[in-house]
Amino acid sequence: MSVLNEIRQESPSRMHLWTQAISAYIEVTKPKILIMLTFTSLCAAIVAQRGVPSISVIIAMLLSASLSAGGSAAINMWYDRDIDVMMERTAKRPIPAGLITHPSVFRFGIFLGILSVVVAFVFVNPLTALLNAVGYVYYAVVYTMWLKRRTPQNIVIGGGAGAFPILIGWASVTDSLNITVWLMFLIIFLWTPPHSWALALYKNEEYTKAGIPMMPVVKGPRSTKIQSLFYMALLFICSLVLFVSGNFNYFYLAGAIIFNSFLLYCTWKMWKEDDHQFIWAKRTFICSLFYILGMFSTMVIGIF
């Protein structure tokens, strides 16, 4: 009886450890960001097909894109473990929290990256496999290891990493890239600075403590807000040019005007706000998340 009791007491403990480990590995892939990235990838595939692609293509494309994005995110957490522990926003991530070791995260990230390319090459097409590989290296190496700690333009140049799922989604259907998908790529690229800098403005102390040269840390809040308005204006123009490319109906045009006007308004209010206040910085950050959901949903509806 005593042996049975020990087993019963030990089993829940082992189960808890397994659950904790699985949750930790899921968390290093940055699942919230992953959802947004795969959403834009799916939208791009639908726009490219001008309808819903086959289920087999969708599954293989989303799987490969998720593996690529999740793997590069794991490498990001592995590399940034020394600064994550300094910031309140990231201190509870699996590595600084001691839930999993950094070598295991590194191996996990490499494995996911390789698997993403294999899945895309076997089940989709070579171009999609190549884009998965380039997107992985862009975020894991170019942004994380090269740009993030060296230049206040880290977010600007690194913004392309978040746009690669769009190319992946498009290529999975057409096995090619054209002007329309590059304009969709530019929307994410130009959206990234005002989105990320809004967060950086009200998290400025944490970035300063960690020694990350975000734009508010290096140039100050006033310059950051002016640059955010500049990129927001470019984003508005790019969204309208996408309509002129002839692939969307007037529903998309109406949506593009509404969503861009709203985000531009929030960015403008952020610019007018005193530099020691962050109410509109937080609102701009939140609004920018809804912007992506709204814009890409509008693109899908706008092809019919």
Side-chain angles (χ1 to χ4, degrees), residues 137-160:
V137 173
Y138 198 144
Y139 185 71
V141 180
V142 176
Y143 170 71
T144 300
M145 301 181 188
W146 179 38
L147 296 171
K148 185 173 181 178
R149 306 193 193 199
R150 286 176 171 81
T151 171
Q153 296 296 326
N154 50 17
I155 288 300
V156 178
I157 305 171

Side-chain angles (χ1 to χ4, degrees), residues 212-225:
I212 304 173
M214 295 295 287
M215 193 62 71
V217 176
V218 177
K219 298 294 184 180
R222 186 52 39 189
S223 176
T224 302
K225 293 176 181 181

